[in-house]
Amino acid sequence: MNNGVLDRYFHITERGSSVSTEVRAGAVSFLAMAYIVLLNPLIIGASADSAGNTLGIPQVAAATALVAGVMTILFGVIAKYPFALATGLGINSMVAVTLVGVEGLTWPEAMGLVVLDGIVIVLLAISGFRTAVFNAIPAHMKAALSVGIGMFIAMIGFVDAGFVRRLPDAAHTTVPVGLGINGSIASWPTFVFVLGLIICFFMVVRRVPGGLFIAIVANTVIAMAVEAITGSGSSADNPAGGWSLAVPQLPDSVGGMPDLSIVGDVDLFGAFTRVGVVTATLLVFTLVLANFFDAMGTMTALGKQGDLVDENGNLPGMKKALVVEGFGAVAGGLGSTSSNTVFADASAGVGDGARTGLANVVTGVLFLLAMFLTPLYEVVPIEAAAPVLVVVGVMMATQLASIDFTDMTVAIPAFLTIVVMPFTYSIANGVGVGFIAYALVNLFAGKAKKVHWIMWLISALFVVYFAAEPLRAIL
């Protein structure tokens, strides 16, 4: 495609962007998201299932990059929005801890439930129900979703960079987290994060074109210099002072064939035999609800951030986008990587100017290349990319201005939505608590008829979602 064809197909000029901006911003999304190729294998790659088998860290890394690349490109080409997909954080932990660790499923059985979860979500999208849910959410709750996700990804940036740390239980304190180490920026990687944050602040205040991309590259160079001087190493060897995931140093090699042996290793209905129909059905229901609202909240937030929504806060062509996103769960299960969904960290690319699906194509191609060039992109430590997440969190928090906090029927559910997301590290939890609160406060205010029936239904479903563990024990 030449630039004219690209422009017409992706509506680049219409959305106030350019090909060069989309390419650059697509690279920014990849750099902000690339850590999932390192992190996902640590969550699901090393743990043995009930049969004593592991998926394998190299295999999960390769499959994670493959599925993210394919689904991100498909979303960009079909939905034409700059919302990149990758393995959903939180959902992958649910698969590893609950399905495999607690329920005793094998990895193929657990991934089979993820595939079924995806099929349900696709059917809900095709039926129009997912679109109807988007349309039923009040404007102030959509704004709260955007702010909450902004807070959530900022928290991810702070935690991944070591700026915010969980205090050990042995400290015997009621304070669950603290700044750095004993209140100080006591590690070189966290210092690099703070320096990167300052660089990002300069870029956005001065409105430097491509500033976030420049900041990531500059911070990576700084990180490499710091590592060469200090030899901080990995946090695995140096828990207090090492780099969280990737150590910023030149790799010994830059290529290699990916191991995709786990792709397609799925047992679609084995879980129903192992744990019973009722338990397996509840597990699928839990996955569906988490997947459904993680994607809904993230797409709403990214759409508002990029000024891509209409006057009601809805994305044009939403149904098509939701169908493609639903197939991310199917693809993630088939790839043995866990469900793929719209990734909140893609907000880095949107913040750098991405407005069309062309940015997604760039991000997806880089993910596919990552299968072969893992050592090369591992040069970028999360501490170099995390400052961008914090700055994007600031951008998304501007939606606070549209929420009327003088009205308690608005303030209570909006506030709970915003704070529960970062505090529980879950978008779905924030959505659930906020929706339940919205229904209750309007009931108490005598405005029950104002609440759309879909909001009542979703609130009831979230009550079941939050009670899933005791329900499984009873049934």
Side-chain angles (χ1 to χ4, degrees), residues 223-240:
M224 294 175 69
V226 168
E227 173 59 22
I229 295 169
T230 67
S232 298
S234 169
S235 60
D237 303 317
N238 181 11

PDB file of all heavy atoms in Angstrom, residues 223-240:
ATOM      1  N   ALA A 223      20.008   3.610  30.943  1.00  0.00           N
ATOM      2  CA  ALA A 223      19.995   2.364  31.725  1.00  0.00           C
ATOM      3  C   ALA A 223      21.185   1.476  31.381  1.00  0.00           C
ATOM      4  O   ALA A 223      21.814   0.876  32.265  1.00  0.00           O
ATOM      5  CB  ALA A 223      18.685   1.617  31.472  1.00  0.00           C
ATOM      6  N   MET A 224      21.521   1.396  30.093  1.00  0.00           N
ATOM      7  CA  MET A 224      22.666   0.582  29.681  1.00  0.00           C
ATOM      8  C   MET A 224      23.958   1.141  30.271  1.00  0.00           C
ATOM      9  O   MET A 224      24.839   0.379  30.713  1.00  0.00           O
ATOM     10  CB  MET A 224      22.741   0.526  28.153  1.00  0.00           C
ATOM     11  CG  MET A 224      21.572  -0.218  27.509  1.00  0.00           C
ATOM     12  SD  MET A 224      21.606  -0.154  25.701  1.00  0.00           S
ATOM     13  CE  MET A 224      23.038  -1.162  25.345  1.00  0.00           C
ATOM     14  N   ALA A 225      24.089   2.474  30.277  1.00  0.00           N
ATOM     15  CA  ALA A 225      25.278   3.092  30.851  1.00  0.00           C
ATOM     16  C   ALA A 225      25.351   2.842  32.354  1.00  0.00           C
ATOM     17  O   ALA A 225      26.422   2.514  32.908  1.00  0.00           O
ATOM     18  CB  ALA A 225      25.267   4.591  30.568  1.00  0.00           C
ATOM     19  N   VAL A 226      24.211   2.965  33.038  1.00  0.00           N
ATOM     20  CA  VAL A 226      24.170   2.726  34.492  1.00  0.00           C
ATOM     21  C   VAL A 226      24.533   1.281  34.808  1.00  0.00           C
ATOM     22  O   VAL A 226      25.305   1.009  35.740  1.00  0.00           O
ATOM     23  CB  VAL A 226      22.774   3.077  35.053  1.00  0.00           C
ATOM     24  CG1 VAL A 226      22.624   2.562  36.482  1.00  0.00           C
ATOM     25  CG2 VAL A 226      22.548   4.580  35.005  1.00  0.00           C
ATOM     26  N   GLU A 227      23.998   0.343  34.017  1.00  0.00           N
ATOM     27  CA  GLU A 227      24.303  -1.064  34.266  1.00  0.00           C
ATOM     28  C   GLU A 227      25.785  -1.351  34.018  1.00  0.00           C
ATOM     29  O   GLU A 227      26.425  -2.103  34.775  1.00  0.00           O
ATOM     30  CB  GLU A 227      23.436  -1.949  33.369  1.00  0.00           C
ATOM     31  CG  GLU A 227      23.768  -3.430  33.390  1.00  0.00           C
ATOM     32  CD  GLU A 227      23.662  -4.073  34.770  1.00  0.00           C
ATOM     33  OE1 GLU A 227      22.951  -3.513  35.643  1.00  0.00           O
ATOM     34  OE2 GLU A 227      24.301  -5.122  34.979  1.00  0.00           O
ATOM     35  N   ALA A 228      26.350  -0.751  32.975  1.00  0.00           N
ATOM     36  CA  ALA A 228      27.769  -0.964  32.679  1.00  0.00           C
ATOM     37  C   ALA A 228      28.654  -0.462  33.820  1.00  0.00           C
ATOM     38  O   ALA A 228      29.688  -1.062  34.128  1.00  0.00           O
ATOM     39  CB  ALA A 228      28.134  -0.261  31.375  1.00  0.00           C
ATOM     40  N   ILE A 229      28.223   0.627  34.472  1.00  0.00           N
ATOM     41  CA  ILE A 229      29.020   1.219  35.561  1.00  0.00           C
ATOM     42  C   ILE A 229      28.782   0.506  36.887  1.00  0.00           C
ATOM     43  O   ILE A 229      29.727   0.230  37.640  1.00  0.00           O
ATOM     44  CB  ILE A 229      28.689   2.721  35.702  1.00  0.00           C
ATOM     45  CG1 ILE A 229      29.118   3.481  34.440  1.00  0.00           C
ATOM     46  CG2 ILE A 229      29.365   3.314  36.937  1.00  0.00           C
ATOM     47  CD1 ILE A 229      28.606   4.905  34.381  1.00  0.00           C
ATOM     48  N   THR A 230      27.526   0.194  37.183  1.00  0.00           N
ATOM     49  CA  THR A 230      27.174  -0.320  38.521  1.00  0.00           C
ATOM     50  C   THR A 230      27.105  -1.830  38.601  1.00  0.00           C
ATOM     51  O   THR A 230      27.263  -2.400  39.682  1.00  0.00           O
ATOM     52  CB  THR A 230      25.821   0.252  38.973  1.00  0.00           C
ATOM     53  OG1 THR A 230      24.768  -0.261  38.124  1.00  0.00           O
ATOM     54  CG2 THR A 230      25.822   1.769  38.904  1.00  0.00           C
ATOM     55  N   GLY A 231      26.815  -2.502  37.476  1.00  0.00           N
ATOM     56  CA  GLY A 231      26.661  -3.953  37.500  1.00  0.00           C
ATOM     57  C   GLY A 231      25.539  -4.409  38.423  1.00  0.00           C
ATOM     58  O   GLY A 231      25.679  -5.399  39.139  1.00  0.00           O
ATOM     59  N   SER A 232      24.406  -3.714  38.378  1.00  0.00           N
ATOM     60  CA  SER A 232      23.290  -4.044  39.280  1.00  0.00           C
ATOM     61  C   SER A 232      22.732  -5.434  39.032  1.00  0.00           C
ATOM     62  O   SER A 232      22.278  -6.109  39.951  1.00  0.00           O
ATOM     63  CB  SER A 232      22.174  -3.000  39.120  1.00  0.00           C
ATOM     64  OG  SER A 232      22.624  -1.719  39.487  1.00  0.00           O
ATOM     65  N   GLY A 233      22.721  -5.889  37.772  1.00  0.00           N
ATOM     66  CA  GLY A 233      22.255  -7.228  37.453  1.00  0.00           C
ATOM     67  C   GLY A 233      20.751  -7.389  37.585  1.00  0.00           C
ATOM     68  O   GLY A 233      19.999  -6.429  37.690  1.00  0.00           O
ATOM     69  N   SER A 234      20.317  -8.646  37.605  1.00  0.00           N
ATOM     70  CA  SER A 234      18.892  -8.968  37.664  1.00  0.00           C
ATOM     71  C   SER A 234      18.389  -8.989  39.103  1.00  0.00           C
ATOM     72  O   SER A 234      19.137  -9.283  40.033  1.00  0.00           O
ATOM     73  CB  SER A 234      18.647 -10.336  37.017  1.00  0.00           C
ATOM     74  OG  SER A 234      17.340 -10.780  37.275  1.00  0.00           O
ATOM     75  N   SER A 235      17.098  -8.689  39.277  1.00  0.00           N
ATOM     76  CA  SER A 235      16.498  -8.758  40.611  1.00  0.00           C
ATOM     77  C   SER A 235      16.474 -10.182  41.144  1.00  0.00           C
ATOM     78  O   SER A 235      16.360 -10.398  42.349  1.00  0.00           O
ATOM     79  CB  SER A 235      15.072  -8.193  40.576  1.00  0.00           C
ATOM     80  OG  SER A 235      14.266  -8.924  39.673  1.00  0.00           O
ATOM     81  N   ALA A 236      16.588 -11.172  40.244  1.00  0.00           N
ATOM     82  CA  ALA A 236      16.643 -12.565  40.692  1.00  0.00           C
ATOM     83  C   ALA A 236      17.906 -12.818  41.512  1.00  0.00           C
ATOM     84  O   ALA A 236      17.904 -13.603  42.461  1.00  0.00           O
ATOM     85  CB  ALA A 236      16.596 -13.505  39.488  1.00  0.00           C
ATOM     86  N   ASP A 237      18.993 -12.144  41.147  1.00  0.00           N
ATOM     87  CA  ASP A 237      20.255 -12.287  41.864  1.00  0.00           C
ATOM     88  C   ASP A 237      20.466 -11.181  42.896  1.00  0.00           C
ATOM     89  O   ASP A 237      21.207 -11.352  43.861  1.00  0.00           O
ATOM     90  CB  ASP A 237      21.426 -12.267  40.867  1.00  0.00           C
ATOM     91  CG  ASP A 237      21.299 -13.352  39.812  1.00  0.00           C
ATOM     92  OD1 ASP A 237      20.942 -14.490  40.181  1.00  0.00           O
ATOM     93  OD2 ASP A 237      21.520 -13.048  38.627  1.00  0.00           O
ATOM     94  N   ASN A 238      19.808 -10.042  42.671  1.00  0.00           N
ATOM     95  CA  ASN A 238      19.972  -8.881  43.544  1.00  0.00           C
ATOM     96  C   ASN A 238      18.584  -8.295  43.828  1.00  0.00           C
ATOM     97  O   ASN A 238      18.182  -7.295  43.232  1.00  0.00           O
ATOM     98  CB  ASN A 238      20.869  -7.843  42.849  1.00  0.00           C
ATOM     99  CG  ASN A 238      21.109  -6.612  43.700  1.00  0.00           C
ATOM    100  OD1 ASN A 238      20.787  -6.581  44.892  1.00  0.00           O
ATOM    101  ND2 ASN A 238      21.664  -5.571  43.087  1.00  0.00           N
ATOM    102  N   PRO A 239      17.799  -8.938  44.723  1.00  0.00           N
ATOM    103  CA  PRO A 239      16.385  -8.578  44.922  1.00  0.00           C
ATOM    104  C   PRO A 239      16.157  -7.104  45.232  1.00  0.00           C
ATOM    105  O   PRO A 239      15.188  -6.508  44.761  1.00  0.00           O
ATOM    106  CB  PRO A 239      15.961  -9.463  46.101  1.00  0.00           C
ATOM    107  CG  PRO A 239      16.896 -10.619  46.059  1.00  0.00           C
ATOM    108  CD  PRO A 239      18.205 -10.061  45.588  1.00  0.00           C
ATOM    109  N   ALA A 240      17.015  -6.487  46.002  1.00  0.00           N
ATOM    110  CA  ALA A 240      16.790  -5.102  46.411  1.00  0.00           C
ATOM    111  C   ALA A 240      17.254  -4.094  45.368  1.00  0.00           C
ATOM    112  O   ALA A 240      16.682  -3.015  45.254  1.00  0.00           O
ATOM    113  CB  ALA A 240      17.487  -4.824  47.734  1.00  0.00           C
TER     114      ALA A 240
END
